[in-house]
């Protein structure tokens, strides 16, 4: 049984504040590109869904819709109803906030160890942040009412997703500490490692603008820091993307926050799985 738990708990390889509804007409949206449904016996690359037992995942499978995530696709709008919850399988998304007169700032990064729509797990009806895809990929989406029914009927699923909520709270607090006390080089390395965990391969399709938004610093500062990393042989920059050449080098530069967040997330998910297995 312990071997099964360890496999399921493998680490993930991890606009403005207003009370009124956003004016949706300002953003031209296209319908999501849906893929063929999940075949019988298919498993998910999302860490949370992969941690479920076969029985619990099978209960969700009919309600899960595979879809393509496009860059800059809006998954949730601030204060809008959460119609779907998304389990990211590949790619990344950002939770964004905006202060009047300033650009949006990333307050959370989501990847294949996450779901988009924590408010639905907590039983609330509206999104607290705008969520936008940064790195394209794929996801499994489920209607909110279908997920909430499953949370009632599948205790293991409820325990797992509540553990994820706790991990998200820990990550938010840790990133606040990180942004206050750690240097730009340390935070940039941490951000690149986080993106790398959520992608396949060693290429990260992020622009300097996206990274500056993520770190809440000027784009020129990010450009200088990336140049230093390239000179050190850690990365190679390209147009709108970069390739990681030396992950170990990035890990040496990064602060301890990346490892701390990853370890805590894994611990909470594994404990939720172990509790359901009675170990």
């Amino acid at each position: 049984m312990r071997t099964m738990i360890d496999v399921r708990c493998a680490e993930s390889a991890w606009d403005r504040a207003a009370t009124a509804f956003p004016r949706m007409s300002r953003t031209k949206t296209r319908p999501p590109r849906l893929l063929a449904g999940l075949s019988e016996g298919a498993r998910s690359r999302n860490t949370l869904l992969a941690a479920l037992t076969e029985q619990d995942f099978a209960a969700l499978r009919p309600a899960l819709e595979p879809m393509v995530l496009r860059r800059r696709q809006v998954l949730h709008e601030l204060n809008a109803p959460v119609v779907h919850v998304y389990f990211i399988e590949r790619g990344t998304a950002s939770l964004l906030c905006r202060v009047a007169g300033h650009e949006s700032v990333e307050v959370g990064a989501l990847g294949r160890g996450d779901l988009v729509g924590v408010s639905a797990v907590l039983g609330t009806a509206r999104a607290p942040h705008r969520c936008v895809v940064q790195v394209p990929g794929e996801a499994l989406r489920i209607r909110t009412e279908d997920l909430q029914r499953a949370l009632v009927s599948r205790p293991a699923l409820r325990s797992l997703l509540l553990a994820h909520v706790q991990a998200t709270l820990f990550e938010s607090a840790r990133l606040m500490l990180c942004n206050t006390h750690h240097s730009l080089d340390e935070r940039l390395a941490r951000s690149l490692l986080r993106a790398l965990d959520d992608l396949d391969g060693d290429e990260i399709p992020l622009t300097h603008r996206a990274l500056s938004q993520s770190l809440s610093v000027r784009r020129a500062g990010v450009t200088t820091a990336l140049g230093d990393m390239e000179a050190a042989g850690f990365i190679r920059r390209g147009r709108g993307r970069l390739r990681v050449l030396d992950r170990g080098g990035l890990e040496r530069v990064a602060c301890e926050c990346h490892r701390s967040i990853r370890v805590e997330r894994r611990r909470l998910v594994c404990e939720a799985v172990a509790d359901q297995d009675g170990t």
Side-chain angles (χ1 to χ4, degrees):
M1 183 63 68
R2 175 57 56 187
T3 300
M4 293 174 61
I5 293 173
D6 287 344
V7 170
R8 290 201 301 267
C9 291
E11 290 187 34
S12 159
W14 57 323
D15 3 38
R16 101 182 39 175
T19 55
F21 286 97
R23 288 181 288 178
M24 301 289 288
S25 59
R26 292 183 304 172
T27 303
K28 293 182 179 180
T29 59
R30 292 180 289 170
R33 179 184 164 196
L34 298 179
L35 303 172
L38 289 177
S39 60
E40 188 71 24
R43 296 294 293 179
S44 173
R45 289 179 292 172
N46 178 276
T47 303
L48 295 173
L49 293 181
L52 293 173
T53 64
E54 292 283 352
Q55 294 82 0
D56 284 324
F57 185 71
L60 280 184
R61 185 185 290 115
L64 293 170
E65 297 179 292
M67 59 174 291
V68 171
L69 297 177
R70 302 184 304 270
R71 189 192 300 274
R72 300 189 185 91
Q73 179 179 355
V74 177
L75 300 181
H76 289 158
E77 283 283 8
L78 172 66
N79 281 332
V82 177
V83 178
H84 291 95
V85 172
Y86 302 83
F87 293 89
I88 297 176
E89 296 208 294
R90 185 174 63 86
T92 68
S94 293
L95 300 176
L96 302 175
C97 282
R98 175 183 287 176
V99 178
H102 297 271
E103 286 193 1
S104 296
V105 174
E106 184 182 75
V107 295
L110 305 175
R112 62 182 167 198
D114 301 289
L115 62 84
V116 180
V118 164
S119 57
V121 178
L122 298 176
T124 55
R126 303 195 183 280
H129 305 293
R130 195 171 200 249
C131 184
V132 179
V133 174
Q134 292 286 7
V135 176
E138 295 90 36
L140 297 173
R141 77 174 188 178
I142 183 172
R143 292 188 63 83
T144 297
E145 58 263 37
D146 290 336
L147 179 63
Q148 290 179 334
R149 279 195 293 268
L151 291 173
V152 174
S153 62
R154 316 298 299 192
L157 175 66
R158 183 174 64 251
S159 295
L160 178 66
L161 296 193
L162 287 176
H164 171 67
V165 172
Q166 185 176 345
T168 301
L169 293 174
F170 175 85
E171 181 171 0
S172 297
R174 187 75 194 202
L175 291 181
M176 182 183 298
L177 176 70
C178 182
N179 291 334
T180 302
H181 293 285
H182 294 145
S183 69
L184 173 57
D185 287 345
E186 290 174 315
R187 292 186 290 130
L188 178 58
R190 182 257 301 160
S191 184
L192 293 178
L193 289 169
R194 175 69 158 92
L196 201 61
D197 286 345
D198 295 316
L199 302 171
D200 299 317
D202 54 11
E203 190 168 273
I204 304 176
L206 282 175
T207 64
H208 291 200
R209 181 180 182 277
L211 287 168
S212 67
Q213 186 178 58
S214 170
L215 299 170
S216 191
V217 297
R218 296 179 62 185
R219 196 181 314 182
V222 169
T223 300
T224 299
L226 287 174
D228 292 341
M229 289 182 178
E230 187 170 42
F234 300 155
I235 64 169
R236 179 184 300 126
R237 291 179 293 177
R239 185 174 179 82
R241 62 189 61 241
L242 59 87
R243 183 178 299 278
V244 175
L245 305 177
D246 183 0
R247 179 178 177 125
L250 286 181
E251 290 175 341
R252 290 191 295 273
V253 172
C255 55
E256 69 274 14
C257 295
H258 174 68
R259 174 172 173 77
S260 176
I261 290 169
R262 189 170 60 178
V263 168
E264 182 67 4
R265 178 186 295 270
R266 183 177 184 272
R267 182 186 69 80
L268 288 167
V269 170
C270 284
E271 285 183 357
V273 173
D275 287 345
Q276 293 303 316
D277 286 330
T279 59

